[in-house]
């Protein structure tokens, strides 16, 4: 199992390196990466429902974590950075399965207000 895990980790690293190299090469060729319209591209064209679902899911995610945040605050940790640190220590992941930072905690708390 250890050997398989090591091989999988190596493969993830190789995929990451190939992807970064390909994106850098495309950028050097002058290719514009990403959507130049950003979130505006979702507006109109029948995507209003998609935008609403994104907002609903974000609100639900925040509400599900509200009791955890309340518990952390009750323990005396009130700074955004401190809350982020405690969420990470408890193994609580962000909506995109990543680590918490002060800005993410701030956005989550704004959804709860």
């Amino acid at each position: 199992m250890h050997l398989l895990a090591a091989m999988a980790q190596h493969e993830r690293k190789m995929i990451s390196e190939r992807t970064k190299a390909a994106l850098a090469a495309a950028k050097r060729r002058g290719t514009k990466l990403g959507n130049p319209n950003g979130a505006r591209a979702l507006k109109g064209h029948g995507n209003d429902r998609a935008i609403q679902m994104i907002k609903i899911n974000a609100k639900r995610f925040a509400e599900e974590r509200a009791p955890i945040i309340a518990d952390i605050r009750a323990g005396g940790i009130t700074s955004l950075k401190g809350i982020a640190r405690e969420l990470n220590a408890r193994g609580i992941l962000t909506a995109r399965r990543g680590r918490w930072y002060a800005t993410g905690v701030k956005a989550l708390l704004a959804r709860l207000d």
Side-chain angles (χ1 to χ4, degrees):
M1 286 301 270
H2 179 69
L3 183 59
L4 289 174
M7 292 298 292
Q9 184 175 6
H10 176 70
E11 182 60 23
R12 281 192 300 273
K13 182 178 178 187
M14 297 302 295
I15 290 170
S16 174
E17 289 174 3
R18 287 192 301 265
T19 301
K20 287 177 185 177
L23 288 171
K27 195 171 182 180
R28 282 192 303 274
R29 289 191 307 269
T31 304
K32 291 195 176 207
L33 302 174
N35 186 334
N37 296 319
R40 286 179 297 163
L42 288 175
K43 295 190 183 212
H45 308 295
N47 288 322
D48 293 334
R49 175 126 171 87
I51 292 169
Q52 287 302 327
M53 287 307 299
I54 290 168
K55 290 179 180 180
I56 289 168
N57 288 336
K59 178 77 169 170
R60 184 179 305 134
F61 181 85
E63 289 170 349
E64 289 171 355
R65 273 112 192 115
I68 300 168
I69 301 290
D71 183 56
I72 292 170
R73 285 178 160 172
I77 300 171
T78 57
S79 72
L80 297 175
K81 191 174 181 179
I83 293 170
R85 192 178 312 118
E86 183 62 22
L87 287 168
N88 291 325
R90 293 185 184 195
I92 309 295
L93 299 175
T94 65
R96 293 188 177 181
R97 316 293 296 161
R99 294 183 50 79
W100 286 96
Y101 296 94
T103 53
V105 173
K106 183 178 180 181
L108 183 133
L109 294 175
R111 289 204 181 278
L112 294 173
D113 289 336

